[in-house]
Amino acid sequence: MKTRQRLASIAFSFVLAFTAATACATSAAPDPAKTRAYIDHAWDTLTRRMDDCSSLADSKLATRPVLYLPADLPKPAGLAEIAARCRVELQVLPQPIRQLGDMAPEQLPKQGLLYLPHPYVVPGGFFNEMYGWDSYFIVLGLLADHREAMARDMVDNALFEVEHYGAVLNANRSYYLTRSQPPFLAEMIRAVLADPASFHDAAEAQAWLQRAYPLAVRNYAVWTRKEHLAGATGLARYYDYGGPRPVLEMRDASYLRGVIAWLEAHPAQDPGYLIKAEQHPDAAEAARLESVSCDVRTSKVCAGAWADGYRLKADYYLGDRAMRESGFDTTFRVGPFGGSTHHYATVDLNSLLYRYERDLRELAARLGRDAEAQRWAAAAEARRQAIDKYLWRPDQGMYMDYDFVAGKPSDYDFVTTFYPLWAGAASKAQAEALRSKLGLFERRGGLQTSDRVSGAQWDEPFGWAPTNWLAIDGLEAYGFHDDAQRLARAFTTTVDRSLAADGTIREKYNMVSGNADVKISAGYKDNVIGFGWTNAVYLKLQALMSGAATDP
């Protein structure tokens, strides 16, 4: 079976290469049927299992693969044989983990993959692990494509992460043990429960929920710890517990030197991230840099993060880590390269938490825990009021992020302004005002992420499947059917058009040109082929356009 899967993957890769090589010559017309066929095949090629050696590699590291087991989990049967066959080092984490930050990944002799018990779908390209918020959209796509068993496996893996690694992680790698990603776990649970084919009967579904609900509550608690609180606003912020140092998955300092170079070239836009420093500091200077920048003595990446007499301040590193937890890596909406992310209560995070609280109310009620359901309802209402107070801008008719450190709202138009529609947090009047702002973001190919060109992948003119889906689904929920249909057609046509041009489905698209012509100048430059959440959103948008139910 595994051999057939690998051969299928190789064959599919060959088909993609052949299609890409001939697409320009044939100038194929966009064809939804071909897009659908691509997606049908892609689910299998994007699936990873612990018994498949190719699943254990990490393109971000050059060392021999390591597979880590939780300290509080008996060794699964057959894992030693897999490790020997795949030439993977099998290790046990040095301690049980109850919450993010319990264990510093730097303590480990090597970084590696974190064990998950079930198969999972990866995004695509060099991503070879199960990612946090990607998985929500992938689950929606799997359910839409009647692959209920895999969707349930994905959610069970997320629950396993909460139980054994402290939260739904950025992804199941050891260097992600200090951060999560946008919180969709309760929605993943709801989606699986809403599909009758996910369980044999109602009793099995109820038993599964009995196990899932307390873990969903435990994952929610990540966002109410003091480090994740946005000051006294009653709202939350993104925050990574790894401290002010470069992230471990960085193989070199080239990205950080690029940040320094950009800030030097745009001094008026530097929020104060740069600090004068030596390239080769002596002992006294190195000790000073540990507190004001990062520790050049213990991190080669930190040591290499120098250019033209400058290094980056410690606060930038905190913001960089928080930006990665947000999933918006990279945008300039919360400082250049997202370097001030941890200073903001963002619209996206607090909309997701509002929906999470409403979901927990529903799940608690389903279990007959009425007092808990009432507490979740009260928590949701308190958050909605805080969202109205700090994030709603009546003068702009939009929701906008709030800098709680500076005590002022952002003036950066960003597509997450539509998240409260998806979450159900907006009033009818607020929804009408938001609808009038579609022109800031709507382009030929769908909704772009912002109306500012920064060169970063989460800014104009680029658009992504998840933000398009949440906005469109929110518009549909508030009765703006014509807008939802129009935007759904635009985005799916962009996917069809791009696949006809080069035979692939991509991570992101150019909304102005309505294709995959994506040229990034600030931050990450790849436009990865795959692609899990694009496949999923395409299916959901097709269902919306056909009039099928889209929301579980």
Side-chain angles (χ1 to χ4, degrees):
M1 180 65 178
K2 293 188 289 294
T3 300
R4 289 200 301 272
Q5 289 167 346
R6 283 195 292 271
L7 289 174
S9 179
I10 293 169
F12 186 48
S13 298
F14 174 79
V15 170
L16 290 182
F18 177 79
T19 305
T22 58
C24 291
T26 59
S27 298
D31 184 349
K34 291 182 180 178
T35 305
R36 191 66 172 78
Y38 178 106
I39 292 170
D40 284 343
H41 203 148
W43 292 130
D44 294 329
T45 63
L46 295 174
T47 296
R48 303 290 182 267
R49 295 172 171 81
M50 289 290 139
D51 61 353
D52 185 345
C53 299
S54 64
S55 299
L56 305 174
D58 185 359
S59 64
K60 295 182 287 299
L61 298 176
T63 56
R64 178 184 173 186
V66 179
L67 177 61
Y68 282 106
L69 294 173
D72 53 355
L73 182 77
K75 184 180 293 186
L79 206 56
E81 181 277 326
I82 294 169
R85 173 167 51 84
C86 297
R87 299 188 70 250
V88 172
E89 239 182 279
L90 193 60
Q91 298 287 342
V92 177
L93 291 173
Q95 65 185 72
I97 298 172
R98 281 290 304 169
Q99 60 183 3
L100 291 176
D102 274 359
M103 193 197 76
E106 289 87 352
Q107 297 175 6
L108 299 172
K110 295 180 182 178
Q111 301 305 312
L113 187 71
L114 298 173
Y115 172 81
L116 293 177
H118 304 290
Y120 50 89
V121 175
V122 302
F126 58 81
F127 298 110
N128 206 27
E129 47 276 317
M130 178 173 152
Y131 279 80
W133 72 318
D134 293 70
S135 294
Y136 166 64
F137 301 97
I138 289 170
V139 163
L140 293 184
L142 291 169
L143 292 172
D145 216 7
H146 307 293
R147 297 172 183 252
E148 297 87 3
M150 178 62 78
R152 184 171 163 184
D153 281 342
M154 295 279 289
V155 182
D156 280 332
N157 279 335
L159 295 170
F160 183 91
E161 288 187 350
V162 177
E163 185 174 13
H164 295 285
Y165 305 128
V168 175
L169 300 176
N170 188 148
N172 60 313
R173 294 283 176 189
S174 58
Y175 44 73
Y176 292 135
L177 282 168
T178 58
R179 68 176 179 266
S180 186
Q181 273 209 317
F184 284 99
L185 179 58
E187 273 297 302
M188 293 168 71
I189 293 169
R190 283 188 69 245
V192 169
L193 286 170
D195 193 311
S198 298
F199 303 94
H200 291 104
D201 52 37
E204 184 189 14
Q206 194 74 352
W208 184 77
L209 177 57
Q210 288 276 5
R211 174 179 175 269
Y213 170 75
L215 291 170
V217 171
R218 183 173 162 188
N219 187 66
Y220 170 84
V222 167
W223 304 97
T224 56
R225 289 171 62 183
K226 64 178 183 179
E227 295 89 348
H228 268 105
L229 298 181
T233 61
L235 299 171
R237 66 168 176 172
Y238 292 109
Y239 186 85
D240 182 308
Y241 293 92
R245 57 176 64 90
V247 293
L248 286 172
E249 64 268 29
M250 275 191 185
R251 296 183 66 172
D252 58 52
S254 57
Y255 172 84
L256 299 171
R257 288 193 295 269
V259 172
I260 295 171
W262 189 94
L263 293 168
E264 282 191 276
H266 304 83
Q269 297 182 55
D270 177 13
Y273 297 160
L274 293 181
I275 183 173
K276 279 283 190 181
E278 297 293 330
Q279 182 177 13
H280 304 291
D282 59 22
E285 173 69 355
R288 184 183 77 89
L289 288 174
E290 184 178 0
S291 62
V292 300
S293 179
C294 55
D295 192 347
V296 299
R297 297 166 297 187
T298 60
S299 169
K300 291 182 179 179
V301 173
C302 173
W306 178 94
D308 300 326
Y310 290 101
R311 292 186 177 275
L312 292 161
K313 286 185 178 178
D315 196 59
Y316 167 82
Y317 286 110
L318 290 174
D320 178 76
R321 284 176 169 272
M323 173 267 291
R324 296 163 193 277
E325 181 174 76
S326 79
F328 292 104
D329 49 348
T330 305
T331 171
F332 279 46
R333 69 162 173 157
V334 281
F337 298 88
S340 298
T341 300
H342 59 314
H343 291 183
Y344 284 81
T346 60
V347 174
D348 48 296
L349 175 56
N350 288 284
S351 298
L352 297 181
L353 289 173
Y354 173 77
R355 180 113 168 196
Y356 203 131
E357 289 154 350
R358 291 180 61 202
D359 289 345
L360 289 177
R361 181 204 60 77
E362 177 187 320
L363 298 177
R366 181 166 175 167
L367 291 171
R369 303 183 182 188
D370 295 338
E372 291 181 40
Q374 291 176 12
R375 288 197 295 272
W376 289 121
E381 177 57 20
R383 189 175 301 276
R384 189 196 62 77
Q385 291 180 19
I387 287 172
D388 273 357
K389 179 178 180 180
Y390 291 102
L391 305 182
W392 176 248
R393 294 282 301 277
D395 58 326
Q396 300 293 324
M398 298 173 66
Y399 292 94
M400 305 185 83
D401 304 325
Y402 182 76
D403 183 345
F404 68 91
V405 174
K408 63 180 183 179
S410 168
D411 62 354
Y412 209 99
D413 299 333
F414 205 68
V415 72
T416 50
T417 193
F418 299 109
Y419 274 41
L421 297 181
W422 176 84
S427 68
K428 184 177 180 180
Q430 288 168 328
E432 289 281 1
L434 284 170
R435 178 178 180 264
S436 73
K437 299 299 181 180
L438 281 171
L440 293 173
F441 306 97
E442 186 174 355
R443 300 294 183 268
R444 179 194 186 202
L447 294 174
Q448 61 185 13
T449 49
S450 78
D451 58 355
R452 300 194 193 186
V453 176
S454 69
Q457 62 179 1
W458 286 97
D459 275 316
E460 183 181 356
F462 310 121
W464 298 65
T467 49
N468 269 267
W469 167 249
L470 294 176
I472 292 168
D473 194 37
L475 289 164
E476 178 72 12
Y478 276 78
F480 303 124
H481 306 300
D482 291 345
D483 297 307
Q485 290 279 328
R486 182 182 70 255
L487 290 166
R489 284 194 300 273
F491 192 81
T492 54
T493 300
T494 294
V495 177
D496 292 335
R497 187 184 297 117
S498 177
L499 186 135
D502 70 4
T504 66
I505 290 180
R506 297 283 178 158
E507 178 186 36
K508 52 188 172 283
Y509 294 90
N510 186 318
M511 296 291 94
V512 172
S513 57
N515 57 29
D517 182 17
V518 173
K519 295 179 176 62
I520 308 296
S521 61
Y524 306 107
K525 297 178 173 59
D526 292 332
N527 192 8
V528 180
I529 295 172
F531 195 85
W533 63 23
T534 311
N535 301 345
V537 167
Y538 183 91
L539 296 179
K540 294 295 287 183
L541 293 176
Q542 289 286 354
L544 185 148
M545 290 188 292
S546 69
T550 61
D551 190 40

